[in-house]
Amino acid sequence: MLRSLQIEPEKCTGCLQCEMACSYEAEGVFNPSKSRIKIFTFHEEGRFVPYTCTQCSEAWCMHACPVEAIVINKATGAKEVIDDICVGCKVCTIACPFGTVNYNQDTGTVYKCDLCGGDPECAKACPTQAITYVDSDHGGLERMRAHAAKNLPQDSAQT
Amino acid sequence: MSWTRNVLRVNLSNGSITHEPLNMQWANDYLGQRGLATKYLVEEIDPKCDALSPENKMIMTTGPLTGTMASTAGRYSVVTKSPLTGAIACSNSGGYFGNEMKNAGWDMIILEGKSPTPVYLYIENDKAELIPADDLWGKSAWETDELIHSKHQDPMLRIAVVGRAAEKGCLFSAIVNDLHRAAGRSGVGTVMASKNVKAVVLRGTKGVGGISDPAKFFKATEDGKKVLAENAVTGEGLPALGTQVLMNVINEVGALPTHNHREVQFDGASKISGEAMLEVRASDGKANLTTNGACFGCTIACQRISTVDKNHFTVKDKPQYQGNSGGLEFENAWSLGTDCGVDDLDAVTFANFLCNEDAVDPISLGATIAAAMELFEEGAITVKETGGMELKFGSAEALVWATEVTVKGEGFGLDLGMGSKRLCEKYGRPEFSMTVKGQEFPAYDPRGIQGIGLAYATSNRGACHLRGYTVASEILGIPEKTDPLVTEGKAALVKAFQDATAVVDSAGICVFTTFAWTLEDIAPQIDAACEGDWSAERCLEVGERIWNMEREFNLAAGLTAMDDTLPKRLLKDIAAKTGPAKGRVNDLGQMLPEYYQLRGWTPEGVPTDETRMRLGL
Ligand code: SF4
Ligand code: SF4
C-alpha cells in the first residue's frame, strides 16, 4: 500500500518541530532553512500552513531532469534525487509548479522531500497531527467521516 | 556540547565587530542564556553605571537547548542593567528569533557602547554589519519589521526591534520579535534604544548540531513531550485557553488585584477571561480568539491569535488593526483590563496590540495607567495634565488613549512612560505605586497568595511572577498544593522555585513547561545535549549560583534589604475586602527572615562568605 503525507493546516500551530525533524534526518543538524517541508505563517489571517512535495504521479521535476537524477522509489512512490548524478542545473526547480524542489548552494545539488524512505520524520514529530502519513487511496477518509457524522441524530453525534 | 561556543561582540561606539570563543568554564558553572550572560555582564560592567549610558551593555543570549528539538526550545533572553529598577534585567522571549540566532552560529551577541547615529545590526551567519537606520528611527516596531523585510527582499529574516516608546525614553520598553513575542520586562528595549540600535536582524542557515548523545537526546526529549501532552495544564488548559485559563481561577480565590490593588476581586473578570475569548460575537459571527499558536519548537502552543470586532470603536475605520495579531495573555488582560477596571474585551485586546506594535511591556503599562487613574480620582492628576481626558477607572476610552500616548511617547504619555513609581512620586502620592524595586506588579495579589508576596519582594528584577511562580503550588497544586493563606513553609517554597526557574531560563526552554516538568524531566534533556554530567542536583546548584550572582550584582549596584519589601498598601493599609482572603494583608515579616536564613544570607540580606564559597562565587 502506498502512503502519502496528508496535511491539515487548521491543526498546525507553527511550532516547526516538523522542520527540525526533517532537517535532522536529511542533514544531521536541526536546520529549518534546509527543511523539505515548510510552514508558512499568514499573520493577518491567523493561519499556519505546512507545505511540501505531493509526489506527483507524472512528476514534472522527474520529467524535466536532463540527466535522470530524479527517480521513483518503487516501495514508497517518492521521487528521489540521486545526489551523485544531479548536476545542479535547477531545471527541476523551474519545472515543479509547487516550488517544492530547491537548490542547496552548499552542495551544488537540489533537494526535495523523499518521504524519509517510507517513515516520514515530520509526521512523527508533529504534536498536533497536522501532518499524517496515510493510505494514498484514502486521503479523504477522515473528512468523509466528519461529514458522515453530521448525519447522525443530534444527541448521539460523535466525531 | 550544544553551545555554538561563539560570541559576537559589537562595539557600537567605534563600529568594530569581533568574534570570540565562549568561556566554557563559565558555561559549566552557569549553563547558558540567563545565567551565562549575567556572568558576562557582571564581569564586564560597573554595577553602579547609569543603565542608559554607553557604559551599560546589552546581551542577547540563547541556551544550550535553543534550536534543538526539545519542546519549547526556541527561547532567548536579553540581559542588561535595568533603567526601570537599577537592578539586573533579564527578559525572556519566544517566537523564532532565538532559534535563528543559534542557527546563525551565536550563543551570545554583546552590544556595548553607543552608536553615534541610529543603526541596525544585520547578521547573516558569520557576517555581521551595522547598517544606518535613520530612516527607521521614529517608526513603530511593526513598520520597522516590514521595512527591513522589504529592503532586504528576504521574508525569512527574523527581526527583534524597538518601537517609538523606547526612542522617547519610556522606561518599560520591550524588544519585540516576530511581531508579537517580546522580551518584555524591566526596560530592556529602553537600553537598546539608548544605544541607538533600532533592530537586530538575523538569518541563520548553519544548523544546530553537536548534540552530545543523540540517541539519549531523542529519548529524553520524546519523554518530555509526552509528559507535556498528558498533563492537564500543558496538554489541555494552555492550548485551549492560553494563560488566560487563570483569569476566573485567580478571581475566585480572591487574588486578582483590581483598581490599582484596592480590591482583590473584579466583577468584570469573566468578560475578559479566556472563556470570553471563545464566545462568538453577535456582530461578525467570529470569536475574539482565531486560533492558538506556538513559539519555535513548542508542543504546548499557548499563544493567542486574536482579532478585534471590526465595528468596535478602537478599530473602526482602521483596517490595519482589523486582522489577526497576538491576543491577550493573562498578565496583559489583567494589567490593561482588571487593574484599570476595564471589562471591554475588544478594548483590552486593542491596547495589547498597541503594546506589541510599539514594543512596550503591557504589565508595567497597565499597572502604571491604573496608578494614574487612582491619582486622577484623588485629584492629584487633573484634565489639565491629560489634555481633557477623564482618566477614570473602568473607562475603555481612557485606557486606549493612555496606551496610545505612551507607546508613541506623546504629551502625558511621557509621564506614564516613567512607570508607576516615578509617576506617583512626581504627583506627590508615592504610596499609590504598586511596585517592588520600581517594577510594577503582575497579576497575583500577595494578600490572597502569601508566598507570591515573598517572591515579589525578593525577586532580583523587581516585582515579577516569573522569578518564582509559587502560584503553581499555592493555587494549582503543582508540584504539590500549599495553602495560599498560610506563610509557613513559603520561604523554602520561594527559594526552590527561584532556583529551579533560574535553570529553566538558562537552558533555552520556556518556563511554562514547569507546569508539567520538574528538574527531573529537564536535566536528562540538558545532560544528553551537553557534554559533562547534568544531574537535577547539579542543575539546582547552578540555579542557586545564578540567583546569588544576581543578588550580588544588585547589592553592588546599591540595592539593600530595604528594597526587599512590598508597598504599604499590601502590608498594612488595605486588607483584602472580599473573597477567601478577606481581612488579610501580606505577612511578609513572617517569611523574609527565614528566607534570608535558608539562602545563607546575613539578616541584612547579604550572602555570607560560607555561602559564596559553597557556590564558588
Ligand atoms: S510539527 Fe505540526 S504543528 Fe508543528 S509546525 Fe509542523 S505541521 Fe505545524
Ligand atoms: S508555552 Fe507558550 S510561551 Fe512557552 S514556548 Fe510554548 S507557545 Fe511559547
Side-chain angles (χ1 to χ4, degrees), chain B residues 433-455:
Chain B
S433 171
M434 296 296 112
T435 50
V436 174
K437 301 182 175 74
Q439 176 156 284
E440 292 74 14
F441 277 71
Y444 310 89
D445 198 294
R447 289 164 294 199
I449 309 176
Q450 293 286 321
I452 201 72
L454 178 64

Side-chain angles (χ1 to χ4, degrees), chain A residues 10 12-17 20-21 24 28-34 38-39 41-48 106 124-125 127, chain B residues 67-69 96 103 179-180 205-209 211 214 217-218 225 291-299 301 305 323-325:
Chain A
E10 62 283 0
C12 176
T13 62
C15 74
L16 308 196
Q17 280 281 343
M20 276 192 283
Y24 195 86
V29 286
F30 303 114
N31 189 351
S33 74
K34 295 282 170 5
K38 296 302 290 178
I39 308 303
T41 303
F42 296 89
H43 188 257
E44 288 271 306
E45 295 77 9
R47 287 293 284 269
F48 305 96
D106 296 334
K124 285 192 284 183
Chain B
T68 73
M69 265 179 89
Y96 303 106
N103 263 280
L179 300 176
H180 55 80
T205 61
K206 287 182 163 185
V208 175
I211 297 295
F217 181 76
F218 285 111
K225 287 173 192 167
T291 185
N292 65 327
C295 300
F296 180 85
C298 177
T299 58
I305 313 286
N324 281 278
S325 196

Side-chain angles (χ1 to χ4, degrees), chain B residues 41-60:
Chain B
L41 191 81
V42 305
E43 293 290 337
E44 294 192 13
I45 72 163
D46 174 1
K48 290 208 154 60
C49 76
D50 173 354
L52 297 179
S53 72
E55 285 88 79
N56 194 9
K57 300 190 183 187
M58 186 193 110
I59 306 180
M60 291 179 142

Side-chain angles (χ1 to χ4, degrees), chain B residues 228-537:
Chain B
L228 294 177
E230 285 166 4
N231 179 279
V233 178
T234 51
E236 288 167 36
L238 285 176
L241 298 173
T243 49
Q244 272 275 62
V245 68
L246 289 164
M247 180 64 79
N248 290 327
V249 176
I250 301 299
N251 193 37
E252 266 153 42
V253 300
L256 191 67
T258 303
H259 299 133
N260 199 31
H261 286 67
R262 289 192 308 203
E263 285 96 40
V264 295
Q265 286 181 313
F266 180 45
D267 286 343
S270 68
K271 292 197 196 154
I272 53 170
S273 66
E275 290 82 351
M277 289 166 70
L278 303 179
E279 276 166 28
V280 173
R281 298 186 282 246
S283 54
D284 62 356
K286 289 186 188 153
N288 174 284
L289 184 79
T290 303
T291 185
N292 65 327
C295 300
F296 180 85
C298 177
T299 58
I300 303 173
C302 79
Q303 283 181 24
R304 306 291 89 186
I305 313 286
S306 287
T307 57
V308 172
D309 185 339
K310 287 187 181 59
N311 300 313
H312 192 262
F313 80 90
T314 50
V315 302
K316 216 169 173 203
D317 310 320
K318 293 184 199 157
Q320 72 271 34
Y321 297 110
Q322 292 178 0
N324 281 278
S325 196
L328 288 172
E329 321 245 346
F330 172 52
E331 301 302 328
N332 319 354
W334 164 77
S335 60
L336 300 164
T338 313
D339 207 25
C340 297
V342 175
D343 63 6
D344 177 336
L345 181 64
D346 280 313
V348 178
T349 304
F350 178 70
N352 190 54
F353 283 1
L354 295 182
C355 287
N356 287 332
E357 182 180 19
D358 266 297
V360 156
D361 171 12
I363 302 182
S364 284
L365 175 64
T368 302
I369 295 173
M373 285 175 166
E374 187 168 355
L375 289 166
F376 188 87
E377 197 173 286
E378 296 292 321
I381 289 175
T382 65
V383 285
K384 215 171 96 226
E385 282 82 19
T386 65
M389 176 54 71
E390 300 271 339
L391 207 53
K392 287 196 172 138
F393 280 118
S395 164
E397 288 78 12
L399 168 76
V400 169
W401 171 81
T403 303
E404 264 169 354
V405 293
T406 309
V407 303
K408 291 184 191 156
E410 291 171 352
F412 186 66
L414 291 169
D415 275 0
L416 290 168
M418 300 188 297
S420 135
K421 177 166 174 267
R422 292 167 177 85
L423 179 82
C424 293
E425 279 166 2
K426 174 169 177 181
Y427 290 98
R429 306 299 294 268
E431 71 277 15
F432 287 180
S433 171
M434 296 296 112
T435 50
V436 174
K437 301 182 175 74
Q439 176 156 284
E440 292 74 14
F441 277 71
Y444 310 89
D445 198 294
R447 289 164 294 199
I449 309 176
Q450 293 286 321
I452 201 72
L454 178 64
Y456 288 168
T458 58
S459 156
N460 285 329
R461 69 169 186 179
C464 172
H465 58 298
L466 294 173
R467 283 295 172 276
Y469 190 71
T470 60
V471 176
S473 166
E474 300 184 85
I475 302 300
L476 304 170
I478 301 167
E480 49 202 37
K481 183 84 172 86
T482 53
D483 185 339
L485 298 177
V486 162
T487 53
E488 209 189 325
K490 292 299 163 64
L493 188 74
V494 167
K495 176 178 182 294
F497 270 85
Q498 287 174 337
D499 292 349
T501 307
V503 180
V504 173
D505 288 344
S506 301
I509 55 177
C510 177
V511 73
F512 293 160
T513 56
T514 58
F515 283 115
W517 286 354
T518 67
L519 287 182
E520 299 292 339
D521 301 290
I522 296 166
Q525 305 186 47
I526 299 174
D527 185 58
C530 303
E531 65 205 31
D533 265 341
W534 290 88
S535 63
E537 294 73 47

Side-chain angles (χ1 to χ4, degrees), chain B residues 157-226:
Chain B
L157 296 176
R158 304 294 189 190
I159 302 175
V161 53
V162 295
R164 290 170 288 187
E167 296 172 9
K168 297 281 176 64
C170 166
L171 290 176
F172 45 84
S173 299
I175 299 172
V176 157
N177 57 278
D178 303 291
L179 300 176
H180 55 80
R181 298 289 102 194
R185 300 225 69 192
S186 314
V188 295
T190 322
V191 173
M192 182 155 136
S194 78
K195 300 192 170 307
N196 264 332
V197 176
K198 183 67 178 173
V200 176
V201 180
L202 287 169
R203 182 85 152 81
T205 61
K206 287 182 163 185
V208 175
I211 297 295
S212 170
D213 185 338
K216 228 164 109 187
F217 181 76
F218 285 111
K219 166 87 172 64
T221 51
E222 269 307 308
D223 289 350
K225 287 173 192 167
K226 221 169 142 223

